[in-house]
Amino acid sequence: MDALELLAHPVRLRVVHAMSGGRILTTAQLCDRIPDVSKATVYRHVALLAEHGLLEVAGEQRVRGAVERSYRLRRERAVVDAGTAASLSPEDHRRVFAAAMATLIAEFGAYLDRDGSDPAANLVGYRQHAVWLGEEERAELIEELRAAILPRLAYGPAPHRTRHLLSPILFPAEEPPRETP
């Protein structure tokens, strides 16, 4: 199973999100962070991610006679490379996008279900903007977004930090103009 197949599942993608930022968590802690998914399902998907190298065992300890493992995300393995993305069919893209959206909806629902969630105070945003871009302008926008986001991916958990989910989505909303002969 390649990274695309592993990441194109809403529960596995939520596990990857929960593990991001250098976190080391046990499966029980992951279950606490994904309370709307059954424990058996979380355990099954953690095992699959570990079996395929996206998660690695960071430690083990005995808890009530059983061995409890803690895991860390192998970020370099939890990516879909450009070549794989370019080789996807429209149906593959549809499936992966649907998994990403299902994950986003589930994560947002879990946020809203928490006691004390306050979208206004937390500056929650889900605006959509239509922008007109040529090819160079689109490439420039993507580069600027990467430049703003990438350094922040290195931030780890800290008492003054809350984990946020940022999901930039960019696609042409209509057909490009046709060249006139």
Side-chain angles (χ1 to χ4, degrees):
M1 195 177 279
D2 63 13
L4 177 67
E5 276 187 83
L6 288 164
L7 296 172
H9 188 283
V11 174
R12 291 191 293 266
L13 194 51
R14 289 182 72 190
V15 169
V16 168
H17 288 168
M19 298 295 299
S20 65
R23 280 190 165 157
I24 295 175
L25 300 172
T26 65
T27 308
Q29 290 170 319
L30 281 165
C31 289
D32 291 342
R33 285 170 170 73
I34 311 172
D36 55 309
V37 177
S38 76
K39 290 181 181 190
T41 299
V42 173
Y43 274 82
R44 186 172 59 250
H45 289 291
V46 165
L48 192 62
L49 290 167
E51 175 186 334
H52 290 281
L54 275 74
L55 297 180
E56 68 180 357
V57 175
E60 295 180 339
Q61 67 180 17
R62 283 230 173 264
V63 177
R64 294 184 294 270
V67 174
E68 180 181 60
R69 290 183 179 92
S70 53
Y71 296 92
R72 81 170 51 89
L73 178 66
R74 293 186 61 200
R75 186 152 183 77
E76 76 282 359
R77 301 282 312 258
V79 296
V80 176
D81 64 67
T84 299
S87 72
L88 297 179
S89 70
E91 282 309 309
D92 290 333
H93 280 287
R94 194 178 322 273
R95 182 175 54 84
V96 173
F97 187 79
M101 293 302 96
T103 301
L104 191 58
I105 290 166
E107 293 271 7
F108 191 66
Y111 160 73
L112 291 174
D113 290 343
R114 284 197 312 259
D115 288 340
S117 67
D118 186 344
N122 295 146
L123 301 177
V124 170
Y126 39 83
R127 294 171 185 83
Q128 296 177 354
H129 306 280
V131 293
W132 292 87
L133 301 169
E135 285 185 36
E136 287 180 21
E137 295 162 326
R138 182 184 60 216
E140 184 178 274
L141 173 63
I142 291 169
E143 187 56 38
E144 289 169 356
L145 289 170
R146 283 184 182 145
I149 295 168
L150 283 176
R152 288 159 178 87
L153 293 178
Y155 294 177
H160 67 283
R161 290 192 178 125
T162 302
R163 188 175 64 91
H164 290 75
L165 186 58
L166 178 64
S167 299
I169 299 167
L170 176 70
F171 60 91
E174 56 188 53
E175 289 195 35
R178 301 208 188 278
E179 295 289 324
T180 53

